[in-house]
Amino acid sequence: MKKTGNVIGKFLILMIISIAVGFTFKPLLNSLNFGLDLQGGFEVLYQVKGIDGKKVNKDMVTSTYKTIGKRIDVLGVSEPNITVEGDDKIRVQLAGVTNPDQARETLSKAASLTFRDTNDNLIMTADVLKSGGARVGQDSSGKPAVALSVKDKDKFFKMTKKISEMEDKRLVIWLDYEETDSFANEQTKCGSLSNSKCLSAATVSQGFASDVIIQGDFTLDEVTNLVELINSGSLPTKLEEISSKSVEASFGENSLEKTFLAGIVGIGLIMFFMIIIYRFAGIISSIGILFYTLITFLIFWVIGGVLTLPGIAALVIGIGMAVDASVLNFSRIKDELYEGNNLQTAFKNGNKNSFWTIFDSNLTTLLVAIILFIFGESSIKGFATMLIISICVTMLIMVFLTRTLLKTFVKTKYFDDKANIFIGINPKKINKNREERIKSMPFAKIDFIKGRKWYFLVSIILIIVGTTFIATKGLKLGIDFKGGSSITLTTNQKLDEKTLKSDIKELKLKLDHIETLNDDSTMIKIEDTLDKEKVAETEKYFKEKYKAKTDIGVVSNVVKQELVKNAIISILLASIGIILYMAFRFTFHYAISGLLAIFIDVFVIISLFSIFRLEISSIFIAAILSIIGYAINDTIVTFDRIKENIKKKGRKNIKNEEQLKEIVNLSLRQTFMRSIITTITTLIPVISLIILGSHEIFNFNLALLFGLVYGIFSSVFIASGLWYQLEKKDIGKPEKKKWYEE
């Protein structure tokens, strides 16, 4: 009775904490920064180019970056996201902007630095200064000041002398002065570098014919910022728009609602599934999922991450993969219980045996996520960021917290004679000897290795069919990979393909294809790379004719080439990283077998996209790399069990191929149910996102669906069969120990 009360008390406390955690979700979500695809807005990617053939350097790009930030203040955007990409590109994301044309005009115009009197009369322009001639200096008292290098010293002397003879001797420096601006209105803010275009108002006591100092009560940071702004106004650079995207606010909100609904349904179904399979341990795992989701969002909020559709997909899929940690742990505990150990021992040994498998599988996925983050762009970085956080939180919550909570209940000894309620085992199997248990094991009659040649043949046929389709039909590339523009129309009027083709012809654009998204949304892909004038013309045309809300995305050849290059580099680096890590932790045979199985998996997915004419975009690469991470995760679990069983038997005791085959078969039987369960828990949110989620990530989720379904086949049947083929040649040879095993 005392044990029962103890368990009930602990469980009630845990449930109260879990409910409290649940109530923190809404305020946390409301405080997150949402990307364009979730709240609408405008995104543009600029290439910084030198005027008159001058080469752009890092300082020029940094100064231009500062200028863009200054201009965004004028637009009134509360959470802008400006990032420098590569050596000469700047991406600007302005969530919530309702007038993309105004934003584009404000951002892209050349920086204009002018010198005026306090009555706003123009005294001189930046052409009196040397290009990029402002630098951090000191005044006579050693305080931080701005040093200006003068190019036209005669003109500068004449103009500064003129100011020194005025009643108000102040020379006002403006960035992007407009007729509506006034020093009278700005003087209280002048020098407040985040709130005013008025950079400085310096008192001039005499004419200067040499380099000068702008001094004031400046901090070093303020002076540094001022130098960059002044330099940006005198730089020989221009901004060339190489891609852009606009999203209507209503369109973004609709995507947000759909994706969150899909996420909630997916997470709920995973929890239900875990409770059905693992009983009380499943409840604890479900509570772990709640904490996991909260901590993931919390970290994302702390680092100031921008949540996008791919980011939410990464979280939901990450939950499915995170559950794998619990499944691995619970499977090991069940194995120990079936061996006849009591719950205390089984729990301890199960945790110990599963840790390195969980660590290895998560580390390889983390490697893929880091590569995605380094080489991905925009929303892909958001996906990678969320995936990296998810993997780290998996180790913290789904491993350590869940284990700690379970340990608390195991210590009560209430479940010592209730193992079925605790973790869902079959009590009838506990008292059987090892041979009997092996014979009654799920899939005990399946000889996984015997049919390996047929599995290889199936893969070869799929590769031949895929190669044929790709060679004859090609891949349906999105504008990300071939350049062009996408126009999404949302209107209550019914649009037919024939009319839209006529519209595109009238706009003098070259049509690629038309795709109906739903009853009121249609996407038109065109081969032309629209400039800002053509974007405005196209928006106006569809608004006047159909009263349509128009979202336009543009990708130039420069961006296309960068994306293709980064996609190839990402996949190659991920493959090299995985093969090196597996060779380090296992052996070269494991590494080669795993990698070949993954390549077949990836090729089959690409072939299916070619066969069904599904579009391949930049987010597809994120899906491919996610599948690589997931597939190697699954393969490592199987390989880890093979390695363990070889160690138990003793490598020197394996005398022939039949004994090696039996070890592989036993390992697959021990892990196959776990593979099925984790595939289901990952498929649940993916299917939920396909059915209920936004169309923007439909192909992404479809790629994951194909990859997960075929992935279980490749990791179980192909990878293990390949390893057996390689390893049987080394029967009788001693296994070399790793340096860390010595």
Side-chain angles (χ1 to χ4, degrees):
M1 189 69 184
K2 185 179 178 182
K3 290 180 184 177
T4 304
N6 192 9
V7 168
I8 292 172
K10 289 177 185 292
F11 186 71
L12 284 174
I13 292 170
L14 187 57
M15 291 304 295
I16 291 168
I17 294 171
S18 301
I19 292 168
V21 165
F23 278 109
T24 64
F25 273 100
K26 191 171 182 181
L28 179 58
L29 288 174
N30 290 338
S31 63
L32 288 172
N33 298 326
F34 293 112
L36 308 185
D37 50 6
L38 294 176
Q39 66 167 322
F42 174 65
E43 174 181 301
V44 60
L45 180 64
Y46 290 116
Q47 187 170 27
V48 183
K49 289 196 166 184
I51 297 172
D52 299 328
K54 290 190 177 181
K55 192 175 180 181
V56 174
N57 57 39
K58 186 179 178 182
D59 290 337
M60 289 179 176
V61 174
T62 303
S63 295
T64 307
Y65 168 90
K66 291 283 186 179
T67 305
I68 290 173
K70 189 78 174 172
R71 287 174 179 168
I72 289 172
D73 294 335
V74 176
L75 292 171
V77 179
S78 58
E79 295 290 346
N81 186 25
I82 316 168
T83 52
V84 176
E85 296 184 1
D87 296 327
D88 61 352
K89 296 179 189 69
I90 299 174
R91 186 179 298 276
V92 184
Q93 293 174 313
L94 306 175
V97 163
T98 55
N99 190 338
D101 293 333
Q102 181 200 354
R104 180 183 270 113
E105 184 65 31
T106 303
L107 292 171
S108 62
K109 66 184 179 183
S112 172
L113 190 75
T114 56
F115 298 83
R116 298 173 181 271
D117 62 23
T118 53
N119 293 320
D120 305 323
N121 298 309
L122 179 65
I123 302 299
M124 51 189 163
T125 60
D127 58 6
V128 300
L129 300 177
K130 290 180 181 177
S131 177
R135 63 187 188 279
V136 177
Q138 292 181 336
D139 62 16
S140 56
S141 61
K143 289 183 178 179
V146 179
L148 295 178
S149 297
V150 178
K151 179 175 67 175
D152 190 340
K153 294 182 179 179
D154 290 340
K155 184 176 181 180
F156 195 75
F157 174 77
K158 190 185 295 183
M159 292 298 103
T160 51
K161 189 173 187 301
K162 181 180 177 181
I163 289 288
S164 70
E165 293 169 351
M166 290 181 178
E167 184 176 346
D168 191 332
K169 302 178 186 296
R170 285 178 291 178
L171 180 65
V172 186
I173 304 176
W174 289 87
L175 182 70
D176 297 335
Y177 176 87
E178 294 177 296
E179 289 183 7
T180 54
D181 293 324
S182 166
F183 180 71
N185 295 331
E186 295 285 322
Q187 62 179 322
T188 56
K189 297 186 288 183
C190 190
S192 175
L193 303 180
S194 60
N195 298 318
S196 177
K197 293 190 289 182
C198 177
L199 303 183
S200 173
T203 301
V204 180
S205 57
Q206 63 185 52
F208 292 98
S210 60
D211 294 351
V212 292
I213 292 287
I214 300 175
Q215 60 188 26
D217 192 17
F218 298 135
T219 65
L220 181 59
D221 286 342
E222 287 173 332
V223 167
T224 303
N225 198 4
L226 190 55
V227 163
E228 289 171 343
L229 288 170
I230 291 173
N231 281 338
S232 70
S234 59
L235 284 176
T237 60
K238 61 180 179 180
L239 293 174
E240 182 176 313
E241 185 177 308
I242 55 176
S243 82
S244 65
K245 179 172 70 176
S246 60
V247 181
E248 278 283 339
S250 57
F251 199 73
E253 288 167 7
N254 188 40
S255 297
L256 178 61
E257 289 170 5
K258 284 183 175 180
T259 308
F260 266 124
L261 175 62
I264 291 167
V265 170
I267 292 168
L269 287 172
I270 288 173
M271 290 179 173
F272 177 75
F273 183 78
M274 289 295 288
I275 292 168
I276 292 295
I277 298 292
Y278 294 111
R279 314 292 170 83
F280 184 78
I283 294 173
I284 299 300
S285 179
S286 298
I287 291 170
I289 290 171
L290 279 178
F291 281 93
Y292 165 93
T293 309
L294 177 72
I295 297 296
T296 301
F297 273 132
L298 187 62
I299 293 173
F300 201 73
W301 173 74
V302 168
I303 66 172
V306 178
L307 191 63
T308 60
L309 280 172
I312 295 174
L315 173 70
V316 176
I317 293 158
I319 289 170
M321 294 173 72
V323 171
D324 185 37
S326 290
V327 173
L328 278 166
N329 197 28
F330 297 164
S331 297
R332 286 294 195 160
I333 293 170
K334 289 173 78 171
D335 288 346
E336 292 291 324
L337 288 168
Y338 285 135
E339 290 286 341
N341 293 314
N342 61 42
L343 183 59
Q344 313 285 326
T345 305
F347 182 78
K348 181 182 176 182
N349 292 344
N351 288 338
K352 181 182 175 182
N353 293 334
S354 65
F355 179 79
W356 280 108
T357 307
I358 295 168
F359 181 82
D360 284 335
S361 58
N362 276 280
L363 193 64
T364 48
T365 310
L366 180 63
L367 174 67
V368 171
I370 291 170
I371 290 168
L372 258 178
F373 180 82
I374 293 169
F375 292 98
E377 50 77 37
S378 190
S379 58
I380 307 298
K381 280 193 186 292
F383 174 87
T385 303
M386 185 61 85
L387 196 57
I388 290 168
I389 294 170
S390 295
I391 293 164
C392 295
V393 176
T394 293
M395 296 303 293
L396 175 68
I397 302 297
M398 301 307 288
V399 177
F400 294 107
L401 178 63
T402 303
R403 288 182 178 188
T404 302
L405 291 174
L406 278 173
K407 188 177 182 181
T408 302
F409 289 97
V410 169
K411 279 185 173 181
T412 64
K413 298 188 177 181
Y414 174 78
F415 292 103
D416 282 0
D417 57 348
K418 301 178 182 67
N420 183 34
I421 296 172
F422 181 75
I423 204 164
I425 68 167
N426 185 348
K428 293 178 181 178
K429 292 184 181 180
I430 293 177
N431 296 321
K432 289 182 178 181
N433 63 44
R434 190 170 186 272
E435 292 301 319
E436 286 178 323
R437 281 199 306 276
I438 289 173
K439 287 177 183 177
S440 64
M441 191 180 288
F443 318 106
K445 294 181 180 179
I446 298 177
D447 188 337
F448 291 91
I449 296 302
K450 185 179 180 181
R452 66 189 181 283
K453 291 179 181 178
W454 290 105
Y455 311 145
F456 297 160
L457 181 62
V458 168
S459 296
I460 290 167
I461 291 170
L462 287 172
I463 289 170
I464 292 170
V465 171
T467 303
T468 304
F469 263 91
I470 292 170
T472 55
K473 299 287 186 181
L475 296 171
K476 186 180 177 182
L477 298 175
I479 63 168
D480 295 348
F481 290 114
K482 66 178 183 181
S485 306
S486 66
I487 306 166
T488 304
L489 304 176
T490 306
T491 177
N492 294 325
Q493 297 185 34
K494 192 171 182 180
L495 303 176
D496 62 83
E497 193 168 315
K498 186 178 178 181
T499 306
L500 289 173
K501 283 182 178 178
S502 176
D503 291 330
I504 295 300
K505 192 174 181 181
E506 190 174 334
L507 284 163
K508 297 179 181 178
L509 301 173
K510 192 173 181 181
L511 180 67
D512 184 66
H513 71 276
I514 296 172
E515 183 181 342
T516 301
L517 303 178
N518 51 49
D519 292 339
D520 59 359
S521 294
T522 305
M523 182 178 286
I524 306 167
K525 297 287 179 74
I526 58 173
E527 296 179 14
D528 309 76
T529 302
L530 303 182
D531 57 26
K532 58 184 179 182
E533 289 79 16
K534 198 65 180 178
V535 167
E537 180 191 337
T538 305
E539 287 176 339
K540 183 181 178 184
Y541 177 89
F542 286 113
K543 185 176 182 180
E544 290 178 351
K545 188 168 183 180
Y546 302 115
K547 296 180 181 177
K549 294 176 179 177
T550 310
D551 298 327
I552 297 180
V554 182
V555 176
S556 71
N557 283 330
V558 175
V559 177
K560 175 194 75 175
Q561 291 162 7
E562 193 78 14
L563 283 171
V564 171
K565 182 187 78 173
N566 287 345
I568 294 169
I569 291 172
S570 297
I571 292 172
L572 284 175
L573 283 178
S575 303
I576 292 167
I578 286 168
I579 198 170
L580 288 175
Y581 183 77
M582 286 189 70
F584 170 77
R585 281 287 290 131
F586 295 88
T587 65
F588 194 65
H589 285 175
Y590 287 105
I592 290 293
S593 306
L595 199 62
L596 283 173
I598 288 167
F599 275 153
I600 294 170
D601 195 5
V602 168
F603 190 82
V604 167
I605 297 158
I606 295 171
S607 300
L608 288 171
F609 265 62
S610 175
I611 292 166
F612 294 111
R613 308 309 298 155
L614 297 168
E615 186 175 278
I616 292 177
S617 61
S618 59
I619 194 68
F620 177 80
I621 302 302
I624 290 293
L625 286 167
S626 299
I627 289 160
I628 288 173
Y630 183 84
I632 201 65
N633 180 318
D634 206 30
T635 303
I636 281 174
V637 172
T638 305
F639 282 173
D640 194 69
R641 190 62 73 100
I642 291 172
K643 186 180 178 183
E644 182 183 321
N645 285 331
I646 287 174
K647 188 176 180 180
K648 280 182 182 178
K649 186 173 181 66
R651 188 176 180 85
K652 62 183 179 181
N653 296 323
I654 302 171
K655 306 292 186 183
N656 53 55
E657 291 181 20
E658 200 58 38
Q659 289 178 322
L660 182 65
K661 184 194 291 185
E662 186 50 42
I663 285 176
V664 178
N665 275 324
L666 175 62
S667 302
L668 287 168
R669 288 168 194 148
Q670 289 172 328
T671 57
F672 192 47
M673 181 56 74
R674 167 261 159 208
S675 295
I676 292 172
I677 292 172
T678 53
T679 300
I680 290 171
T681 57
T682 312
L683 277 174
I684 286 171
V686 170
I687 293 170
S688 179
L689 284 166
I690 288 173
I691 297 171
L692 302 172
S694 173
H695 82 273
E696 285 94 336
I697 52 173
F698 178 81
N699 282 2
F700 168 82
N701 290 308
L702 208 56
L704 286 176
L705 178 66
F706 291 157
L708 291 169
V709 172
Y710 188 78
I712 191 172
F713 174 79
S714 66
S715 62
V716 172
F717 297 98
I718 303 298
S720 301
L722 286 170
W723 180 85
Y724 173 78
Q725 285 294 120
L726 294 171
E727 193 68 18
K728 69 179 184 178
K729 297 174 185 177
D730 290 341
I731 291 173
K733 295 179 183 178
E735 185 177 16
K736 292 180 181 179
K737 287 188 176 183
K738 301 289 184 184
W739 62 268
Y740 55 82
E741 294 176 327
E742 293 289 346

